[in-house]
């Protein structure tokens, strides 16, 4: 079934007297449980799009239905609630707190978000069993990204939004992170959107969306183009 339905979304950034249209008339449907890759050159609107879906940024017009609720119409408090309840974010930079251990970094997110999983379950789920007491500086880049993924899934989110999650990792470690994201998708039926330049990730996606100049240039599923309605 459909999880995400986006229609007529536009977003313009104002800077001083000039303005820049980052998204133009975006229309997109995504089914529950899909792994979706978003491709496109730098500046094509990829981050703007996932930040809008995640309720980090607001759009100027259009609708973004998640589970039949239009998040564009939510007030600021409702949007905070939506983000906590339904969305997990993973970024290129791990943004871990350096003076907290693996356990404490995850616990902090779990306390904010009321986790249905225990911290130990989360540590196991991301393949960091036995590393609870390490500090971020004692971990490799791939392991730090695993901690940030654990933090993102504390609430078993419906949507996992990943902005260049393997951008700072070599190709072997990138594949391991990819495998972890697939496992999470499998285990919790989490719908995953990934911005990436990594071809191994696009190859395994259920759907690949290419953006260009703020517009959807193509939307392909299992290598078959989706017919326009
Ligand atoms: P991508 O993720 O594909 O690189 P972005 O969504 O980050 O693209 O940005 C799309 C365009 O919007 C870029 O031209 C960028 O410079 C512009 N932009 C992004 N954020 C802002 C902002 N806060 N203020 C002004 N312009 C912005
Ligand atoms: P990568 O292959 O991702 O570059 P590293 O070479 O950084 O990994 O780390 C390899 C292993 O060494 C990892 O298992 C990591 O846990 C461990 N490690 C790295 N730095 C430290 C450290 N400062 N203290 C303890 N263990 C470390």
């Amino acid at each position: 079934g459909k999880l995400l339905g986006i229609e007529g979304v536009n977003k313009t950034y104002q800077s001083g007297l000039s303005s820049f249209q980052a998204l133009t008339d975006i229309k997109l449907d995504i089914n529950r449980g899909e792994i979706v890759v978003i491709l496109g050159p730098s500046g094509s609107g990829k981050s703007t799009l996932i930040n809008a879906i995640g309720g980090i940024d607001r759009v100027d017009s259009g609708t973004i239905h998640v589970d039949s609720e239009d998040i564009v119409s939510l007030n600021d408090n409702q949007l905070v609630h939506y983000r906590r309840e339904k969305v997990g974010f993973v970024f290129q930079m791990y943004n871990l707190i350096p003076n907290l251990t693996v356990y404490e970094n995850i616990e902090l997110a779990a306390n904010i978000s009321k986790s249905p999983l225990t911290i130990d379950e989360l540590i196991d789920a991301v393949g960091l069993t036995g590393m609870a007491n390490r500090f971020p500086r004692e971990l490799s880049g791939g392991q730090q990204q695993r901690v940030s993924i654990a933090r993102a899934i504390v609430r078993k989110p419906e949507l996992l939004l990943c902005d260049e999650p393997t951008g700072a990792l070599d190709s072997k470690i990138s594949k391991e992170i990819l495998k972890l994201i697939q496992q999470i998708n499998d285990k919790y039926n989490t719908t995953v959107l990934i911005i990436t330049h990594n071809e191994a990730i696009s190859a395994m996606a259920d759907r690949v969306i290419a953006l260009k100049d703020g517009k959807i240039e193509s939307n392909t599923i299992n290598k078959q183009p989706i017919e326009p309605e």
Side-chain angles (χ1 to χ4, degrees):
K2 183 161 120 180
L3 175 70
L4 188 65
I6 303 177
E7 290 239 29
V9 161
N10 294 287
K11 168 76 178 182
T12 300
Y13 290 109
Q14 304 288 342
S15 42
L17 292 175
S18 65
S19 67
F20 182 86
Q21 183 144 9
L23 294 176
T24 303
D25 199 21
I26 298 292
K27 177 175 166 50
L28 179 61
D29 286 338
I30 290 171
N31 293 323
R32 195 178 299 278
E34 277 190 295
I35 297 182
V36 181
V37 157
I38 301 171
L39 302 174
S42 179
S44 57
K46 304 183 297 295
S47 298
T48 303
L49 179 61
I50 72 164
N51 290 346
I53 293 168
I56 292 184
D57 281 349
R58 289 198 175 269
V59 296
D60 303 329
S61 56
T63 54
I64 300 176
H65 282 93
V66 180
D67 265 343
S68 77
E69 174 178 63
D70 178 17
I71 65 162
V72 174
S73 69
L74 299 180
N75 67 31
D76 288 351
N77 280 338
Q78 291 169 322
L79 207 57
V80 169
H81 192 72
Y82 159 75
R83 276 203 304 269
R84 274 187 202 155
E85 288 282 318
K86 296 206 168 160
V87 191
F89 292 96
V90 177
F91 300 99
Q92 176 170 343
M93 299 314 297
Y94 323 117
N95 301 321
L96 303 179
I97 299 177
N99 60 337
L100 297 183
T101 63
V102 166
Y103 189 97
E104 291 163 347
N105 265 281
I106 299 169
E107 186 180 42
L108 191 66
N111 286 344
I112 291 168
S113 259
K114 282 273 170 287
S115 183
L117 303 166
T118 68
I119 311 301
D120 288 325
E121 281 170 333
L122 286 160
I123 288 173
D124 291 345
V126 299
L128 291 177
T129 308
M131 298 196 183
N133 296 321
R134 295 228 194 158
F135 289 93
R137 66 176 174 277
E138 297 171 334
L139 299 176
S140 68
Q143 291 168 334
Q144 290 182 61
Q145 191 61 299
R146 287 173 185 269
V147 179
S148 86
I149 291 170
R151 221 176 30 181
I153 62 166
V154 289
R155 194 75 219 221
K156 287 202 214 167
E158 298 215 44
L159 270 172
L160 184 63
L161 304 178
C162 310
D163 195 341
E164 309 253 19
T166 63
L169 301 171
D170 70 27
S171 68
K172 179 174 164 282
I173 305 298
S174 296
K175 283 200 188 109
E176 290 172 13
I177 293 296
L178 175 59
K179 207 189 288 170
L180 172 61
I181 291 172
Q182 277 180 311
Q183 283 168 4
I184 289 165
N185 165 260
D186 225 41
K187 194 167 173 181
Y188 305 123
N189 202 28
T190 311
T191 306
V192 183
L193 272 66
I194 312 176
I195 296 175
T196 188
H197 296 292
N198 185 311
E199 288 181 9
I201 298 189
S202 337
M204 52 66 76
D206 297 314
R207 182 190 299 272
V208 176
I209 291 159
L211 285 182
K212 194 182 176 196
D213 298 331
K215 298 188 182 113
I216 292 180
E217 190 182 43
S218 64
N219 178 347
T220 52
I221 189 163
N222 295 330
K223 303 196 166 32
Q224 296 295 320
I226 294 163
E227 295 298 325
E229 285 163 42

